[in-house]
Amino acid sequence: MHHPLRNKLSILALLLALALTSLSISLMIGSVDIAPGELWPLLWQNDGGSHYRIIHELRLPRTVSAFAVGGVLALAGLLMQALLRNPLADPYILGVSGGAAVAVLGAMLMGLPFAWQAPMAFGGALASILLLFGLAHSGNWNTTRLLLTGVVLAAGWSALISFVLSLSPPVQLPGMLFWLMGDLSDALNPALPVAVLVLGLVLALWLAPALNLAQLGTARAASLGVRIRRLHMFVYLLASLLTAAAVSIAGAIGFVGLIAPHMLRLASGSDHRILIPGAVLLGGSLLVLADTAARTLIAPMQLPVGVLTALLGVPMFLYLLNRGIAGKTA
C-alpha cells in the first residue's frame, strides 16, 4: 500500500542528506584536501592550525553562501513556474536576472558603493518583471507568449549589458565579466544570502496553500477564496527580491531555477508544501557542487560557476522545449 505523504517526506530526507553531503564535499576538497574524519572536529574545535583557518575563513563562508544563493534561485524559479503554470519559467530565461545584472553593472560603472548593489538589483529585477508582464498582456495572453516575450527581453538586457561593458574602464572589465558569468569567490559573508533564503522560505511556505489552489486555474482558485491578483503581485515582488539578492551576491547564475524545481516536481508531484523546501535543498546542493567543481577543475585557476550551471541547464531547457512542454500547463 502506497503512502503519498510518507513518500514525499522520504524525498525531503534524501534531499537533506544530499545537501549535507554536498556541503561536506565542498569543505573537504580544494587546494588542500581534508580527510572526512578531520572535518567534523575542525568545524567545532580551533586547533590553531592552517586547516582550521582554511575551513573557517575561506571554504565555510563560500560554501554556505553558495548553498543559500542556489536555494534562493531555485525558490524564485519555483514561484515563477507555479504562477505561470509552466515548467520553463526561470529568472534567467525570462530576463529577470538580466534586468538585475544591468542595474548592478550600471552601479559599478558609476562607482557607487557596494551597498547600492542589492537595492539596484531589486529595482532592475522588478522593472524587468513589470515590463515582461506588461508586454505579454498587451496582446492575447498565454504562457507561451510570456515565455517568448521573456526570451526576447533577456536578449535586450544582454545587449544593454554589452553596451555598459563597452563604456567601462579597462581596469574594471575583468572583474565585471567574471562577476557577470557567476562568481562566488567574493561571497565570504553568508549573512545576507542566508537571511534572504530564510525570509523567502517562510513567505513561500505561507503562500503554499494558495499556490496549490492556483494550479486548478484562475476561475476555480478565485471561487475557492484565493485573491488571484494579490497573489500574483506578492509572488512578483517575492521573486524579484530573491532574484535581486542572488544576482547582487553572485552575478547572473542561470538555470538553477529551472533544473531544481523541474527535477523535484517529477519526483514528488505538485504539492508546494513539499516542493518549496525540496527546491531549496536541491538548488542549494546543485550550486554547492557546481561551485566546488568551478574552483577545483582547473585549479589554481577558477571557472565562473555560471558556466557550469549553463552547461547543465541548456540541455535540460532544450529537452523540455523538445517535449512541447512550453505550451502546456504544469
Side-chain angles (χ1 to χ4, degrees):
M1 183 176 180
H2 295 288
H3 298 279
L5 180 59
R6 183 181 300 175
N7 292 339
K8 291 176 181 179
L9 293 178
S10 298
I11 291 173
L12 285 181
L14 288 173
L15 290 171
L16 180 59
L18 174 64
L20 294 174
T21 302
S22 66
L23 291 169
S24 300
I25 290 173
S26 179
L27 293 176
M28 290 188 294
I29 295 179
S31 56
V32 176
D33 291 337
I34 294 174
E38 189 182 1
L39 177 61
W40 187 254
L42 283 173
L43 288 174
W44 304 104
Q45 299 173 13
N46 185 356
D47 61 359
S50 60
H51 284 188
Y52 180 87
R53 292 195 297 273
I54 289 172
I55 291 291
H56 286 269
E57 295 177 13
L58 298 175
R59 292 186 190 171
L60 186 59
R62 177 167 176 165
T63 298
V64 173
S65 295
F67 184 87
V69 169
V72 163
L73 288 171
L75 186 55
L78 176 64
L79 289 172
M80 291 183 177
Q81 291 174 15
L83 191 62
L84 302 177
R85 294 189 295 155
N86 190 309
L88 290 179
D90 166 74
Y92 189 82
I93 294 169
L94 294 179
V96 181
S97 294
V102 168
V104 173
L105 289 175
M108 291 180 178
L109 181 63
M110 292 184 289
L112 297 178
F114 178 79
W116 278 83
Q117 288 191 14
M120 290 289 284
F122 176 72
L126 182 59
S128 186
I129 281 187
L130 294 176
L131 184 59
L132 170 66
F133 282 89
L135 292 172
H137 278 87
S138 63
N140 295 324
W141 159 257
N142 57 61
T143 56
T144 302
R145 180 187 177 91
L146 186 138
L147 180 68
L148 294 174
T149 303
V151 170
V152 173
L153 189 60
W157 291 128
S158 180
L160 280 176
I161 286 171
S162 298
F163 178 70
V164 172
L165 292 175
S166 69
L167 298 177
S168 302
V171 69
Q172 284 186 289
L173 275 178
M176 294 173 77
L177 285 170
F178 206 83
W179 172 86
L180 190 61
M181 292 184 286
D183 178 28
L184 286 157
S185 59
D186 292 328
L188 298 180
N189 182 9
L192 175 60
V194 169
V196 172
L197 177 61
V198 172
L199 175 63
L201 184 59
V202 170
L203 292 175
L205 286 171
W206 176 62
L207 291 173
L211 292 174
N212 283 343
L213 292 176
Q215 295 178 99
L216 302 175
T218 302
R220 181 78 183 276
S223 69
L224 293 172
V226 178
R227 298 182 177 180
I228 294 296
R229 185 174 295 274
R230 180 178 296 183
L231 175 66
H232 285 191
M233 289 306 301
F234 196 89
V235 172
Y236 297 162
L237 290 172
L238 182 55
S240 298
L241 173 64
L242 295 173
T243 303
V247 170
S248 64
I249 294 163
I253 297 173
F255 296 104
V256 175
L258 170 71
I259 299 171
H262 183 69
M263 290 175 61
L264 187 59
R265 192 176 284 108
L266 290 176
S268 66
S270 56
D271 186 350
H272 285 86
R273 295 171 298 178
I274 302 296
L275 285 175
I276 288 169
V280 167
L281 290 172
L282 183 56
S285 301
L286 289 175
L287 193 57
V288 166
L289 293 174
D291 184 57
T292 303
R295 62 180 173 80
T296 57
L297 282 178
I298 57 172
M301 295 178 62
Q302 295 191 32
L303 290 169
V305 68
V307 171
L308 297 182
T309 59
L311 289 175
L312 292 174
V314 169
M316 172 71 78
F317 180 83
L318 294 175
Y319 168 72
L320 294 177
L321 200 61
N322 188 55
R323 289 179 58 192
I325 205 166
K328 299 177 182 179
T329 56

